[in-house]
């Protein structure tokens, strides 16, 4: 949304003054971009090494003479055992195994405010499915574990639906002075954010919002970041090409804070290399960036951290070396080693009679005794695997293996709970991140859902719930409590822009199905939960039907009991169940 104050100020400037001011703005953005690139250079290199390692390139070496990375060599056998990738998958699946529970808290304590807050939580559940947030969370956690941060970019499409995209940390530059993951913090957040992306040159030239330039040419870069270009070339085989039919350009957007006293507004400057003026310049009424950042570990005084994967790579390198050594030994042991005289004329003939070794008369051919492999490599591998599990917080049970002789569901649940405790830092960061994301989603809904939308959500028991939702800036007649949709009268929820959102990730029951069922049975026997709650969390379908039939059966049994007692009193006959 454009800022009206800025438009009025621009009206007082001449055309030449406007152009010169725009050029100075692009110069400023390029300086900020250079500062952010220089401050992040060390992290870019570390991200390159870690991403290659997770993708299986365990023996890549950097050649300083040619400034290239060598991926293989002919010096001995090398076998990559990608345990880091397996442990990363285990942590990601453990952290994202439960759907986040959104809880929207009302600003006031009226009955209507509580009801609206409940429907706001339902809207978040609806968007969770609509925007495929479950997959987006997994992608953000993966980036957080490898690159130390994951980034969500929020937007609205033409149908007014919420769109969430995961941005590669390589493509987003933050103010080097940022001291927190909450980049929208007015004091210690980012003063600017720059995002880069590869787009087709045709999409720039034909965008009606952009100012057009005749000298705009393509660069055909795969990405703006140097190390990302190298990664794309190695992993995805994407190289720089000069295909005129599909010419591309790196498009850059700089989000700048403009301060006017205590008021903050975000200015968006869209520009490309090679052009002095911006393609688009806009000052919005929004005081927040359309981004939220997830930190993969606890980092103080900055936005980037060392990342979860850093301490695992040295241990995995030892395992790679030991496994390669054992394989090389077994290879030589199976094929054998021989000592032959020089110029002995030894050759091997293989035919239908078997393998025949020929040699010159008088020459010696003897088999070299190979010493048995000592147990130390196997012992060292087990020690390294133990270190890897302790460092990653992922043990056998989280990797899908039963530890030792443990077979009890309750014991397995306790072991999984122990692993979950090791990942509590990441879970806490994810809850804070999703709380900020939930507030931003509801703010976008309040500002952009100007007409009513039909919302359908599914409870734990599979029963659908329908209601209508509209943003607080919407234009419904008096915003009544009920809305007619076809033949149905549905409740109408008005979504406000200022909300307090809490998120809980995890289970108050257990981490395995068997232990969860045992816990439910115990709570039901103690009358802590009712029958409907028990059936919901036990994952039954048609819960209302089951509850109704149970009640009918109980009433029928009660009537039968009353009839049998009256017969006994009248005739003095003892009746049994038959």
């Amino acid at each position: 949304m454009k800022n009206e104050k800025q438009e009025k100020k621009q009206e007082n400037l001449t055309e030449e003054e406007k152009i010169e001011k725009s050029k100075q703005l692009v110069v400023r953005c390029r300086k900020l971009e250079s500062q952010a690139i220089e401050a992040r250079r060390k992290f870019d290199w570390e991200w390159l090494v870690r991403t290659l390692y997770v993708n299986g390139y365990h023996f890549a070496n950097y050649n300083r003479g040619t400034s290239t990375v060598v991926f293989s060599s002919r010096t001995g056998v090398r076998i990559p055992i990608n345990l880091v990738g397996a442990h990363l998958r285990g942590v990601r699946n453990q952290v994202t195994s439960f759907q986040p529970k959104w809880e929207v808290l009302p600003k006031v304590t009226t009955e209507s405010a509580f009801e609206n807050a409940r429907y706001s939580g339902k809207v978040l559940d609806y968007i969770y499915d609509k925007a495929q947030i479950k997959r987006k969370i997994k992608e953000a956690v993966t980036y957080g574990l490898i690159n130390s941060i994951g980034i969500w970019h929020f937007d609205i499409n033409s149908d007014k639906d919420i769109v969430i995209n995961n941005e590669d940390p390589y493509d987003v530059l933050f103010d080097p002075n940022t001291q927190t993951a909450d980049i929208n913090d007015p004091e210690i957040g980012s003063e600017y954010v720059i995002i880069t992306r590869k787009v087709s040159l045709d999409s720039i030239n034909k965008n009606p919002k952009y100012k057009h330039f005749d000298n705009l040419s393509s660069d055909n870069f795969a990405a703006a970041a140097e190390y990302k270009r190298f990664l794309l070339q190695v992993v995805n085989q994407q190289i720089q090409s000069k295909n005129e039919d599909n010419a591309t350009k790196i498009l850059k957007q700089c989000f700048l804070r403009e301060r006017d006293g205590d008021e903050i507004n975000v200015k968006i400057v869209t520009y490309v290399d090679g052009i002095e003026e911006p393609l688009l310049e806009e000052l919005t009424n929004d005081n927040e960036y359309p981004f939220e950042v997830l930190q993969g570990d606890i980092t103080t005084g900055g936005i980037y951290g060392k990342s979860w994967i850093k301490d695992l790579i040295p241990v995995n390198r030892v395992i790679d070396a030991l496994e390669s050594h054992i394989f090389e030994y077994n290879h030589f042991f199976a094929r054998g080693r021989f000592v032959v005289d020089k110029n002995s004329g030894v050759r091997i003939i293989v035919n239908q009679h078997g393998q025949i070794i020929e040699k010159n008369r008088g020459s010696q051919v003897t088999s070299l005794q190979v010493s048995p492999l000592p147990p130390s490599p196997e012992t060292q591998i087990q020690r390294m695997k133990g270190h890897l599990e302790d460092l990653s917080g992922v043990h056998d049970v989280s990797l899908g293996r039963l530890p030792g002789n443990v077979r009890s569901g309750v014991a397995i649940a306790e072991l999984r709970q122990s692993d979950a405790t090791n990942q509590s830092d990441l879970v806490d960061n994810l809850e804070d991140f999703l709380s900020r994301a939930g507030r931003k989603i509801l703010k976008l809904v309040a500002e952009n859902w100007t007409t009513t939308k039909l919302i359908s959500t599914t409870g734990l028991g599979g029963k659908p719930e329908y209601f209508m939702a509209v943003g607080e800036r919407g234009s419904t007649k008096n915003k009544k409590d009920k809305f007619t949709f076809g033949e149905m009268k549905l409740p109408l929820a008005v979504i406000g822009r200022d909300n307090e959102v809490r998120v809980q990730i995890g289970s108050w029951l257990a981490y395995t199905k068997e232990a969860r069922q045992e816990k439910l049975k115990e709570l039901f026997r103690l009358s802590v939960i009712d029958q409907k709650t028990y059936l919901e969390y036990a994952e039954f379908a048609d819960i209302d039907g089951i509850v109704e039939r149970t009640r009918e059966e109980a009433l029928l049994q009660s009537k039968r009991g009353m009839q049998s007692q009256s017969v006994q009193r009248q005739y003095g006959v003892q009746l049994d169940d038959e």
Side-chain angles (χ1 to χ4, degrees):
M1 186 175 296
K2 293 184 178 180
N3 190 292
E4 296 179 358
K5 293 181 181 180
Q6 178 70 10
E7 291 182 348
K8 291 180 180 179
K9 290 181 180 179
Q10 291 285 353
E11 291 176 357
N12 299 326
L13 299 176
T14 64
E15 192 64 30
E16 291 78 8
E17 289 174 339
K18 291 180 181 178
I19 293 175
E20 184 61 29
K21 188 175 181 180
S22 297
K23 288 182 178 179
Q24 292 300 321
L25 188 60
V26 173
V27 171
R28 179 190 173 194
C29 290
R30 290 200 172 107
K31 288 182 178 179
L32 295 175
E33 179 187 351
S34 299
Q35 291 174 6
I37 291 174
E38 188 62 31
R40 207 190 64 184
R41 186 171 299 278
K42 178 178 75 74
F43 294 102
D44 283 7
W45 170 252
E46 292 176 351
W47 295 350
L48 170 66
V49 173
R50 293 164 193 167
T51 304
L52 287 174
Y53 204 88
V54 171
N55 282 279
Y57 299 96
H58 288 198
F59 302 102
N61 290 313
Y62 181 69
N63 189 328
R64 296 185 180 276
T66 59
S67 298
T68 57
V69 176
V70 180
F71 293 98
S72 61
S73 65
R74 298 182 180 275
T75 58
V77 179
R78 292 185 172 184
I79 303 175
I81 311 297
N82 200 359
L83 293 178
V84 166
H87 283 247
L88 185 146
R89 184 174 62 249
V91 170
R92 181 184 62 208
N93 292 339
Q94 177 81 4
V95 171
T96 61
S97 58
F98 296 99
Q99 177 175 337
K101 299 176 181 65
W102 312 88
E103 182 184 2
V104 182
L105 304 179
K107 292 290 185 181
V108 294
T109 58
T110 62
E111 184 178 349
S112 60
F114 278 104
E115 187 71 9
N116 233 35
R118 187 179 74 85
Y119 282 123
S120 296
K122 294 287 186 180
V123 168
L124 288 175
D125 290 337
Y126 166 78
I127 295 175
Y128 179 87
D129 295 327
K130 183 78 173 178
Q132 299 179 340
I133 291 181
K134 185 177 182 63
R135 177 181 176 86
K136 304 293 172 58
I137 293 175
K138 288 181 177 289
E139 293 173 352
V141 169
T142 302
Y143 277 125
L145 294 174
I146 299 175
N147 303 85
S148 79
I149 61 169
I151 306 166
W152 275 6
H153 187 183
F154 298 83
D155 203 355
I156 295 285
N157 63 13
S158 57
D159 296 328
K160 302 297 183 181
D161 291 327
I162 307 296
V163 178
I164 301 175
N165 292 314
N166 267 293
E167 298 291 349
D168 192 328
Y170 272 116
D171 295 333
V172 184
L173 297 167
F174 295 101
D175 177 10
N177 298 319
T178 306
Q179 301 178 41
T180 176
D182 185 6
I183 59 174
N184 294 299
D185 188 288
E187 302 299 331
I188 58 176
S190 290
E191 289 299 310
Y192 67 90
V193 179
I194 299 175
I195 182 171
T196 63
R197 59 167 55 90
K198 181 181 75 171
V199 299
S200 67
L201 191 64
D202 194 51
S203 67
I204 298 177
N205 289 327
K206 294 183 178 180
N207 192 324
K209 295 181 180 179
Y210 294 159
K211 187 176 181 179
H212 298 287
F213 299 91
D214 295 333
N215 59 339
L216 183 62
S217 60
S218 64
D219 51 30
N220 292 314
F221 284 142
E226 176 188 357
Y227 290 131
K228 184 180 179 180
R229 290 200 295 267
F230 178 77
L231 272 175
L232 292 174
Q233 179 179 348
V234 171
V235 179
N236 300 332
Q237 301 299 316
Q238 294 186 22
I239 59 175
Q240 181 178 346
S241 61
K242 295 184 178 180
N243 187 355
E244 297 297 334
D245 296 331
N246 189 26
T248 61
K249 186 75 173 178
I250 299 298
L251 185 70
K252 303 177 181 181
Q253 281 187 313
C254 181
F255 296 79
L256 289 166
R257 277 181 176 171
E258 294 286 332
R259 296 180 181 268
D260 185 5
D262 294 334
E263 184 181 353
I264 297 177
N265 295 107
V266 174
K267 175 178 283 189
I268 306 174
V269 183
T270 305
Y271 64 100
V272 294
D273 289 340
I275 302 296
E276 294 182 349
E277 297 181 50
L279 301 179
L280 180 65
E281 177 187 345
E282 181 182 2
L283 183 65
T284 67
N285 284 323
D286 204 340
N287 61 352
E288 292 186 353
Y289 303 112
F291 307 100
E292 289 296 343
V293 176
L294 167 68
Q295 283 187 322
D297 51 12
I298 300 297
T299 304
T300 58
I303 193 170
Y304 302 114
K306 69 173 186 177
S307 87
W308 168 88
I309 203 175
K310 180 180 180 180
D311 295 329
L312 274 63
I313 292 178
V315 180
N316 205 153
R317 290 190 190 278
V318 175
I319 295 175
D320 290 341
L322 291 170
E323 291 287 3
S324 300
H325 169 68
I326 293 173
F327 174 81
E328 191 171 18
Y329 170 84
N330 291 335
H331 176 74
F332 284 125
F333 187 84
R335 299 193 64 176
R337 305 176 75 179
F338 300 92
V339 178
V340 298
D341 294 337
K342 192 173 182 179
N343 300 322
S344 59
V346 175
R347 66 171 181 157
I348 300 175
I349 302 174
V350 180
N351 56 26
Q352 66 271 22
H353 302 295
Q355 190 178 72
I356 302 171
I357 300 177
E358 289 186 348
K359 67 179 183 66
N360 295 334
R361 187 185 299 275
S363 61
Q364 295 290 327
V365 178
T366 58
S367 175
L368 182 65
Q369 185 68 29
V370 180
S371 302
L373 182 70
S376 56
E378 293 286 354
T379 304
Q380 186 71 35
I381 287 176
Q382 295 305 317
R383 288 178 58 190
M384 289 296 108
K385 287 183 177 179
H387 295 326
L388 197 67
E389 291 178 353
D390 292 338
L391 288 171
S392 66
V394 178
H395 296 83
D396 287 343
V397 66
S398 296
L399 295 173
R401 297 192 299 262
L402 292 178
N405 296 323
V406 177
R407 296 294 182 269
S408 170
V410 176
I412 293 174
E414 292 297 326
L415 291 174
R416 292 197 63 183
Q417 174 66 49
S418 299
D419 275 1
T421 302
N422 292 329
Q423 296 144 18
S424 59
D425 287 347
L426 179 58
V427 172
D428 291 343
N429 287 351
L430 183 59
E431 288 178 348
D432 293 340
F433 166 74
L434 291 177
S435 296
R436 298 194 301 270
R439 289 194 292 271
K440 194 175 292 292
I441 289 172
L442 292 178
K443 182 179 178 181
L444 289 173
V445 168
E447 294 175 348
N448 294 277
W449 284 15
T450 54
T451 58
T452 55
K453 274 184 175 286
L454 177 64
I455 306 298
S456 60
T457 59
T458 304
L460 292 174
K463 182 180 179 181
E465 181 180 355
Y466 300 95
F467 63 95
M468 305 299 292
V470 67
E472 66 180 7
R473 294 186 180 178
S475 56
T476 57
K477 293 181 179 180
N478 300 325
K479 293 186 172 66
K480 298 179 180 179
D481 293 337
K482 294 291 183 181
F483 187 91
T484 302
F485 183 81
E487 298 179 354
M488 299 184 296
K489 285 191 176 295
L490 300 176
L492 176 64
V494 180
I495 309 301
R497 70 192 306 269
D498 294 323
N499 297 278
E500 185 67 29
V501 180
R502 293 179 183 174
V503 176
Q504 179 184 358
I505 299 175
S507 174
W508 55 274
L509 289 170
Y511 285 87
T512 64
K513 190 172 184 178
E514 181 181 350
R516 184 161 58 246
Q517 290 175 348
E518 290 296 326
K519 186 72 172 178
L520 284 169
K521 290 178 182 177
E522 180 183 353
L523 294 173
F524 183 67
R525 282 194 297 266
L526 295 172
S527 300
V528 176
I529 59 175
D530 57 12
Q531 181 187 11
K532 189 172 183 178
T533 303
Y534 173 84
L535 294 173
E536 284 179 349
Y537 286 94
E539 300 178 357
F540 279 82
D542 190 21
I543 293 174
D544 290 338
I546 296 175
V547 172
E548 186 64 28
R549 289 193 296 271
T550 304
R551 289 175 179 172
E552 292 176 356
E553 184 68 24
L555 289 173
L556 184 59
Q557 290 289 345
S558 176
K559 290 180 179 179
R560 286 176 179 173
M562 294 174 62
Q563 291 175 359
S564 63
Q565 290 175 9
S566 64
V567 170
Q568 292 176 26
R569 287 195 299 270
Q570 183 175 356
Y571 297 102
V573 179
Q574 185 70 27
L575 300 178
D576 56 16
D577 293 338
E578 295 180 358

